[in-house]
């Protein structure tokens, strides 16, 4: 939405109307077609062809075209690479995303390439958990029995960069011996 506002000079003479442009801070998307349209807008704003944008984003032209056209089976890791290269981010929100800093720090990242992972999160006080604690482990296995195998050192920082939570380093000596033996075998 654009609004025109007339302003006054100090001497009482009116200045020409100034156009005030309102821009979005966040856009909520619900499907790949909407993400593709936003990628197209960002590319066009940069005055780039699809081929040039694909090269700059580190993906193939075919993938880039399919993303802009809203193909529902695009690879998420490549979508994230394109968004990052175009200066866009993807966030998870909603009532189901009311996590505590401790929950995020203890989240299991199975294929984490980095030894230390840092979540970037915005925290608000007073949000209720989206589930009951009694329903938390309804699958019947010991809580965290499988997930502990993949846990890495992680930290949670808020928007200002302040550390909110950091997982303690817990290394099982037996697991460490197996990892070192596997590395030597490779």
């Amino acid at each position: 939405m654009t609004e025109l506002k007339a302003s006054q000079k100090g001497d009482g003479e009116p200045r020409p109307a100034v156009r005030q442009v309102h821009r979005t801070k966040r856009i909520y998307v619900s499907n790949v077609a909407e993400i593709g349209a936003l990628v197209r807008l960002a590319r066009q704003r940069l005055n780039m062809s699809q081929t040039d944008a694909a090269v700059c984003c580190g993906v193939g032209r075919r993938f880039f075209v399919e993303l802009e056209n809203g193909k529902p089976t695009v690879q998420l890791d490549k979508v994230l690479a394109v968004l990052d290269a175009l200066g866009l981010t993807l966030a998870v929100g909603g009532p189901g995303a009311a996590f505590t800093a401790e929950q995020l720090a203890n989240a299991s990242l199975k294929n984490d390439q980095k030894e230390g992972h840092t979540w970037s999160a915005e925290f608000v006080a007073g949000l209720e958990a989206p589930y009951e604690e009694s329903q938390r482990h309804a699958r019947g296995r010991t809580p965290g029995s499988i997930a502990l195998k993949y846990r890495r050192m992680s930290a949670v920082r808020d928007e200002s960069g302040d550390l909110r939570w950091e997982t303690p380093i817990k290394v099982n000596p037996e697991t460490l011996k197996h990892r070192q033996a596997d590395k030597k075998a490779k």
Side-chain angles (χ1 to χ4, degrees):
M1 172 182 273
T2 308
E3 296 178 10
L4 295 177
K5 292 187 175 184
S7 59
Q8 296 285 333
K9 288 185 180 178
D11 56 3
E13 294 180 29
R15 288 186 182 169
V18 177
R19 181 171 288 205
Q20 186 176 22
V21 179
H22 296 277
R23 298 192 183 273
T24 58
K25 184 176 179 180
R26 289 184 187 90
I27 300 172
Y28 300 93
V29 295
S30 59
N31 56 47
V32 180
E34 292 176 351
I35 293 174
L38 295 174
V39 167
R40 184 180 309 107
L41 282 174
R43 174 185 60 81
Q44 289 171 343
R45 185 173 35 187
L46 295 169
N47 294 321
M48 297 178 84
S49 68
Q50 287 178 325
T51 305
D52 293 339
V55 169
C56 289
C57 295
V59 297
R61 183 183 182 284
R62 179 177 175 181
F63 172 83
F64 198 87
V65 170
E66 289 174 346
L67 174 60
E68 280 194 0
N69 290 331
K71 182 180 176 187
T73 58
V74 291
Q75 296 176 10
L76 184 58
D77 59 338
K78 289 183 179 180
V79 172
L80 294 173
V82 168
L83 293 176
D84 185 49
L86 294 175
L88 303 170
T89 58
L90 184 66
V92 175
F99 301 111
T100 64
E102 182 179 2
Q103 288 171 330
L104 285 175
N106 289 322
S108 300
L109 298 177
K110 294 183 180 183
N111 294 324
D112 188 22
Q113 306 301 326
K114 301 174 188 173
E115 192 60 31
H117 177 78
T118 302
W119 294 96
S120 177
E122 181 179 331
F123 292 93
V124 178
L127 290 180
E128 294 294 323
Y131 54 86
E132 295 292 326
E133 287 296 323
S134 62
Q135 297 174 352
R136 186 174 181 188
H137 304 293
R139 288 193 165 171
R141 63 178 177 233
T142 306
S145 60
I146 295 174
L148 287 175
K149 180 168 115 178
Y150 301 105
R151 186 158 297 142
R152 302 252 193 266
M153 178 71 182
S154 64
V156 179
R157 296 188 182 276
D158 60 14
E159 285 184 324
S160 64
D162 295 334
L163 186 66
R164 301 281 287 193
W165 179 268
E166 191 168 35
T167 56
I169 298 174
K170 295 179 184 176
V171 179
N172 181 348
E174 194 64 34
T175 306
L176 188 59
K177 288 178 188 176
H178 289 295
R179 285 184 189 169
Q180 289 173 347
D182 289 343
K183 286 182 183 178
K184 288 180 184 178
K186 290 180 182 179

